[in-house]
Amino acid sequence: MSALEEASSLLKAGDVVAFPTETVYGLGANALDEAAVSKIFFAKGRPAHNPLIVHVADIAQARALTTDWTPEAEALARELWPGPLTLVLKKNGAVPGIVTAGGDTVAIRCPDHPVALALLRKCGFPLAAPSANRSNYISPTSAGHVLRSLNGRIPLILDGGPCMAGIESTVLSLVEMPATILRPGPIHAAMLQKYGIPVAAQGMRSAANNEKILTSPGQMLSHYAPDKPLILVQPEAAATIIAGLRATGKHVGLMQMTLELSIEESAEAKLSTQSDMARGITITTMPDTPELYARLLYATLYMLDAKKIDAIVCELPPDEPAWSGIKDRLRRAATRTE
Ligand code: TXA
Ligand code: MG
C-alpha cells in the first residue's frame, strides 16, 4: 500500500494523519465526522474554543459547506486557490459544531500542495486540519518538526519535504463586507484589493482590539512560541540588548536581518561574527525578502530552541505590508501569557 493510500484509509476509518501543505504541516481528520475531529484536539492538547480550518480539494467542495458562497468568495477562490488564503463564511448543517467551536461560521481553504490535494481527492471528504504541532508550540514546516512535537500521539505523517510558504495562511472573513483580515499571512491586504475586494483595516493584536480577537476565537496573543524567550529588537538596538544578556552570562541566539554592506564593511561584519561566536552568541542571518524569510522562520526557531542558549534575540524586519504576516508571528512567539 502506498503512503497516500495508507493515509486515506486511516482518515476514512476516522483517524488522524499529518500531511504537508504549502504553509505548514496540518493534522487532518474527516471534517464531517465529529468523533474523528475530536482526535485532533486530543492529539494536540488544543482547547475546544479554538476552531479549525477545513481543507477542500476545490471550490465545489467549499461551496457545499456554506449557506452563502458569496461573489467575493467565488472571485478570490478562483484567483488565489489553491493557495494560502482561508475564507471565513457562514456554515451550513454539514459542518459539525466541533470544527467551528460552536460558531456559525466556517474557515475554508484549498491548499497548494500536490500531496495535500492528492490526499483530499483520495478521501473525497474535506479535512479539518490545524497546524500539526502540540498546542502553543511553533508550527511545523517539515515532517521532522511534526515528529518532534507529536511523536507517539498520531499514527502517520506524510512527508512532503519542507513547506514553501512557511507561515500559516491569511485568514479573511467574508461574513460581512468590507472583508476583515483575522490573521495576516502570505497574502496581504494589497494583494486582495487588487481583485476588487474591499478590506477593512486589520488589527487584532493590541489590547484595544480585544473585540476583534473574540471574533476569531483561536487568535490568542501567545501562540507559536518557542520554549526559549524570544526578544524582538530594532536592528540598531541589538548590540546593546545582547551586551546586557552577555553581561549576566547568558548565551544568545541572534536572528539577524541581512544588511546591505559594502565589501569592506561585510568583511568587518564577518570578523565580528567570528569573535561573537567565541563570546557565546549564535548568529543566524535571515533572508531579506518576506517570501524567503517566512520559509525559514519556523525552522530557525526550532533550530535555535534546540540549542544550548538562554534567549533568542530577533531583529525586527521592516515596517512594510509584505512583512505583516511575519511580524505577527514574531510578536506572538515573543508574547508571554504569564
Ligand atoms: O496555513 C494554515 O492555515 C494551516 C495549514 C495546516 O492549513 N492551518 C492552521 O490552522 O494554521 P490553525 O488551527 O493553527 O489556525 C486556524 C486559525 C485560528 O487562528 C482560528 O482562530 C482561525 O483559523 N479560525 C478557524 N475557524 C474560524 C472561524 N470560523 N472564524 C474565525 N477564525 C477561524
Ligand atoms: Mg496553529
Side-chain angles (χ1 to χ4, degrees):
M1 199 165 30
S2 73
L4 204 60
E5 278 164 3
E6 203 175 331
S8 74
S9 325
L10 282 163
L11 291 165
K12 283 175 186 163
D15 219 325
V16 295
V17 165
F19 64 95
T21 82
E22 81 282 32
T23 58
V24 301
Y25 275 69
L27 181 62
N30 181 350
L32 309 179
D33 177 346
E34 190 175 334
V37 174
S38 73
K39 292 184 187 170
I40 296 176
F41 287 88
F42 181 74
K44 278 183 60 103
R46 182 176 173 110
H49 57 77
N50 194 354
L52 305 177
I53 292 174
V54 178
H55 297 69
V56 294
D58 50 38
I59 291 180
Q61 211 173 40
R63 198 185 287 126
L65 303 171
T66 64
T67 55
D68 188 13
W69 180 255
T70 64
E72 291 83 10
E74 179 72 16
L76 288 174
R78 274 176 184 273
E79 292 289 348
L80 296 167
W81 280 4
L85 176 68
T86 295
L87 301 176
V88 175
L89 293 152
K90 287 273 181 213
K91 85 171 189 81
N92 68 18
V95 186
I98 189 171
V99 171
T100 64
D104 61 357
T105 60
V106 60
I108 312 171
R109 85 177 191 100
C110 178
D112 188 13
H113 194 290
V115 175
L117 289 171
L119 183 64
L120 283 161
R121 289 195 194 107
K122 226 172 175 39
C123 286
F125 45 75
L127 293 172
S131 49
N133 51 288
R134 69 176 156 79
S135 199
N136 288 333
Y137 196 60
I138 310 159
S139 295
T141 53
S142 74
H145 295 162
V146 180
L147 201 61
R148 247 192 266 177
S149 208
L150 296 175
N151 193 9
R153 300 183 71 85
I154 57 174
L156 184 75
I157 304 170
L158 283 178
D159 188 346
C163 302
M164 286 294 125
I167 58 170
E168 300 85 345
S169 61
T170 302
V171 178
L172 182 75
S173 173
L174 295 176
V175 174
E176 278 170 29
M177 294 307 287
T180 318
I181 293 181
L182 300 177
R183 177 176 72 183
I187 295 183
H188 52 89
M191 293 161 87
L192 296 167
Q193 276 152 353
K194 210 171 74 189
Y195 301 110
I197 307 293
V199 180
Q202 103 193 15
M204 35 164 292
R205 264 161 266 113
S206 68
N209 278 310
N210 269 335
E211 279 167 44
K212 274 273 157 49
I213 290 172
L214 290 177
T215 66
S216 189
Q219 290 290 29
M220 289 144 320
L221 264 176
S222 178
H223 214 87
Y224 316 103
D227 292 331
K228 308 272 165 66
L230 177 72
I231 303 164
L232 303 181
V233 299
Q234 295 300 340
E236 316 81 77
T240 317
I241 301 285
I242 290 169
L245 288 163
R246 292 294 301 131
T248 56
K250 298 226 178 340
H251 286 247
V252 180
L254 172 64
M255 290 163 69
Q256 196 171 42
M257 287 305 295
T258 312
L259 299 173
E260 279 174 40
L261 299 171
S262 67
I263 293 170
E264 303 90 272
E265 280 172 328
S266 65
E268 229 171 79
K270 213 168 174 184
L271 278 178
S272 77
T273 302
Q274 282 161 359
S275 59
D276 283 343
M277 297 281 222
R279 302 207 315 260
I281 307 172
T282 303
I283 298 180
T284 307
T285 303
M286 301 301 289
D288 58 359
T289 66
E291 293 76 20
L292 290 178
Y293 192 111
R295 193 177 295 172
L296 294 184
L297 172 58
Y298 291 151
T300 305
L301 289 175
Y302 267 93
M303 184 269 291
L304 290 173
D305 215 21
K307 279 199 189 299
K308 279 201 178 124
I309 55 174
D310 303 296
I312 304 168
V313 173
C314 176
E315 295 182 356
L316 278 163
D319 263 325
E320 288 160 18
W323 290 89
S324 57
I326 289 165
K327 293 183 89 165
D328 170 81
R329 301 309 186 275
L330 287 173
R331 283 194 205 98
R332 284 171 197 288
T335 305
R336 283 279 168 279
T337 39
E338 56 288 351

